[in-house]
Amino acid sequence: MSLIAVIDFETTGLSPDYGDRATEVAIVLVERGRVVDRFQSLMNAGVRIPAFITQLTGISNAMVAAAPDVARVMVQASRFVGNAPMMAHNASFDRKFWVGELARLGLPAPQPFACTMLVSRRLYPQAPNHKLGSLVDYHRLPRAGAAHRALADAEMAAGLLGQIQRDPSARHGVINPDHALLMALQRCAKSAVSTFMAKCANA
């Protein structure tokens, strides 16, 4: 499958393990490096947003009070993604909220997650750092709206994914840098990346 769902959450904190909840979700569907669809919504989980989170994201308690219920949004998001494999920047964070919010509804979350941050650490060790905004600037990719809003961050991560998929083809002759290859690459030791790419090119 060439379709990849790039996701970003805004939340009340760092982890659902501590009672934190999602306040906004955005998903950008990418197929062969091209954005083919988008989903975005604020959501009301009935949890107050700390002031420092509002300062970071611009999402206020008043905004989520007027937003659709979290259950409705997450059902829609799950249907939107379907069986597509997923990707996010710092994916361990977004995966926790994807799995956690769907688990509250008794819905499965079987999609494998790849991480643009982990892959970038292997492909671009020379980058100043591996924050999303820094990588976007490093590759001279377009910035999409304000950082720390879900759709802007998902759009930038999708742009970074496109760069990540182009470079193995151009640099290493890898014909199909698909989601499965990126999953394997993010687990690869940094010292072994060149050998890994050579094997993929010859496969």
Side-chain angles (χ1 to χ4, degrees), residues 72-198:
R72 179 174 144 201
V73 173
M74 290 304 300
V75 167
Q76 291 172 340
S78 180
R79 289 174 180 162
F80 183 79
V81 170
N83 293 320
M86 302 184 78
M87 195 138 195
H89 200 77
N90 192 16
S92 62
F93 173 86
D94 295 282
R95 185 179 182 278
K96 284 180 184 177
F97 283 94
W98 178 252
V99 172
E101 293 292 355
L102 291 178
R104 285 175 175 269
L105 305 174
L107 295 175
Q111 300 87 354
F113 265 76
C115 180
T116 50
M117 182 173 70
L118 293 180
V119 173
S120 291
R121 284 176 177 168
R122 284 145 181 83
L123 291 181
Y124 315 116
Q126 73 280 10
N129 63 64
H130 294 90
K131 295 177 181 178
L132 178 58
S134 298
L135 287 163
V136 166
D137 292 343
Y138 176 75
H139 291 295
R140 297 186 174 88
L141 299 170
R143 281 185 171 263
H148 302 299
R149 287 301 301 267
L151 185 57
D153 286 354
E155 292 271 15
M156 289 192 291
L160 179 58
L161 169 61
Q163 184 76 40
I164 284 170
Q165 289 187 300
R166 288 190 295 274
D167 283 343
S169 298
R171 296 180 183 180
H172 303 282
V174 178
I175 295 172
N176 183 29
D178 59 8
H179 190 272
L181 183 145
L182 299 180
M183 289 280 290
L185 177 58
Q186 72 184 18
R187 294 190 294 265
C188 181
K190 294 176 185 178
S191 60
V193 168
S194 295
T195 301
F196 173 83
M197 286 297 192

Side-chain angles (χ1 to χ4, degrees), residues 8-119:
D8 186 84
F9 279 104
E10 301 303 329
T11 69
T12 62
L14 294 176
S15 174
D17 295 339
Y18 304 131
D20 297 316
R21 300 295 302 276
T23 58
E24 186 178 40
V25 63
I27 303 160
V28 177
L29 295 184
V30 177
E31 187 169 24
R32 294 183 175 88
R34 187 171 64 90
V35 174
V36 296
D37 208 350
R38 298 171 178 85
F39 174 90
Q40 180 273 335
S41 183
L42 289 165
M43 63 184 93
N44 185 354
V47 175
R48 285 194 62 78
I49 301 172
F52 78 94
I53 294 290
T54 297
Q55 290 175 350
L56 178 68
T57 66
I59 299 172
S60 67
N61 285 293
M63 289 167 65
V64 296
D69 182 76
V70 62
R72 179 174 144 201
V73 173
M74 290 304 300
V75 167
Q76 291 172 340
S78 180
R79 289 174 180 162
F80 183 79
V81 170
N83 293 320
M86 302 184 78
M87 195 138 195
H89 200 77
N90 192 16
S92 62
F93 173 86
D94 295 282
R95 185 179 182 278
K96 284 180 184 177
F97 283 94
W98 178 252
V99 172
E101 293 292 355
L102 291 178
R104 285 175 175 269
L105 305 174
L107 295 175
Q111 300 87 354
F113 265 76
C115 180
T116 50
M117 182 173 70
L118 293 180
V119 173

